[in-house]
């Protein structure tokens, strides 16, 4: 069965699925501890959190959908999506919270397999932070991480001059993705961060004006 992957803004119906995906990813990496997103108080209500930000911010999810009845999304930020290329996949979707290829949670209109956010960096007028970029372990290698990153950086460039991120050296694939996207790694973190367990920090100029 063919699967398509749509990137769209998060909704409250996606919250539980995205929180579970983030927690599984951090557990797999041995980062399920204080000082990481694992302990963020807003993790179970990301839609509400990002919708309530005072300064520009947003969160998007990558949703896997099956069958030819789903057309391509509009690509708009006002609820539309941005489908990645379809890929051949032998998975089927059950009527519950898993599919036969592994444990995944259902969102508003499909299986949530990734997500990414952007929010203002504390104390800075021109810097935002790339937040919570995760892709399900068995959906990596399909280009979803790069597509999520591109969506986030496009938004960042419309509202900020720089995009900052914090990550961990053990997440080698993520670090490689950030380098390939033009992030420059720093010797230390910017002041004001909450994730003390992170040991790598990077920044990218995103304003095109």
């Amino acid at each position: 069965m063919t699967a398509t992957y749509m990137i769209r803004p998060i909704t409250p119906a996606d919250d539980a699925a995205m929180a579970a995906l983030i927690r599984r990813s951090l557990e797999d990496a041995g980062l399920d501890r204080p000082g990481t997103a694992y302990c963020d108080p807003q993790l179970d209500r990301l839609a509400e959190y990002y919708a309530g930000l005072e300064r520009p911010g947003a969160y998007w999810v990558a949703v896997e959908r099956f069958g030819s009845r789903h057309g391509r999304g509009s690509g708009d930020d006002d609820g539309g999506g941005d489908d990645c290329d379809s890929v051949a996949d032998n998975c089927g979707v059950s009527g519950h919270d898993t599919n036969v290829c592994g444990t995944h949670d259902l969102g508003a209109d499909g299986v949530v397999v990734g997500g990414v956010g952007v929010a203002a960096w504390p104390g800075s007028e021109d810097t935002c932070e790339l937040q919570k970029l995760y892709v399900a372990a068995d959906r990596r290698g399909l280009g979803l991480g790069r597509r999520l990153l591109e969506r986030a950086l496009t938004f960042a460039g419309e509202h900020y001059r720089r995009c900052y991120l914090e990550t961990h050296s053990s997440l080698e694939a993520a670090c490689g993705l950030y380098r390939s996207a033009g992030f420059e790694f720093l010797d230390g973190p910017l002041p004001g961060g909450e994730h003390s367990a992170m040991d790598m920090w990077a920044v990218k100029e995103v304003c095109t004006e």
Side-chain angles (χ1 to χ4, degrees):
M1 184 179 294
T2 300
T4 59
Y5 297 88
M6 181 180 73
I7 296 173
R8 59 159 175 76
I10 194 170
T11 72
D14 306 313
D15 278 343
M18 195 64 228
L21 190 159
I22 292 172
R23 289 192 175 102
R24 281 195 297 268
S25 298
L26 290 169
E27 288 164 1
D28 291 345
L31 294 171
D32 49 333
R33 50 190 165 96
T36 74
Y38 196 87
C39 297
D40 284 358
Q42 69 271 23
L43 189 56
D44 291 301
R45 51 180 184 85
L46 291 177
E48 176 187 356
Y49 174 78
Y50 283 91
L53 294 174
E54 294 183 359
R55 296 177 59 195
Y59 198 91
W60 301 267
V61 291
V63 178
E64 180 178 81
R65 301 191 297 183
F66 290 84
S68 60
R69 66 186 182 278
H70 297 299
R72 294 185 61 86
S74 68
D76 296 330
D77 282 337
D78 58 354
D82 181 12
D83 279 339
C84 297
D85 293 338
S86 298
V87 296
D89 199 318
N90 293 322
C91 296
V93 177
S94 75
H96 302 289
D97 290 342
T98 62
N99 63 45
V100 296
C101 285
T103 300
H104 295 291
D105 296 291
L106 294 178
D109 54 359
V111 181
V112 174
V113 294
V116 67
V118 171
W121 183 254
S124 175
E125 293 296 323
D126 64 358
T127 302
C128 66
E129 183 185 16
L130 184 78
Q131 300 180 338
K132 297 177 176 62
L133 173 55
Y134 294 94
V135 174
D138 57 359
R139 294 300 184 270
R140 294 169 192 164
L142 300 176
L144 295 175
R146 184 170 298 278
R147 294 296 295 270
L148 286 163
L149 179 59
E150 290 172 352
R151 172 59 68 89
L153 291 178
T154 296
F155 178 91
E158 294 170 351
H159 300 282
Y160 300 95
R161 184 173 65 86
R162 299 189 304 168
C163 184
Y164 170 74
L165 65 84
E166 299 184 332
T167 187
H168 197 273
S169 55
S170 65
L171 304 175
E172 296 180 1
C175 292
L177 174 62
Y178 300 141
R179 285 193 177 94
S180 69
F183 279 87
E184 297 181 4
F185 280 81
L186 308 173
D187 294 330
L190 297 183
E194 298 178 348
H195 295 148
S196 59
M198 299 298 98
D199 63 359
M200 296 191 75
W201 315 271
V203 69
K204 175 182 172 65
E205 298 287 329
V206 292
C207 183
T208 57
E209 295 182 357

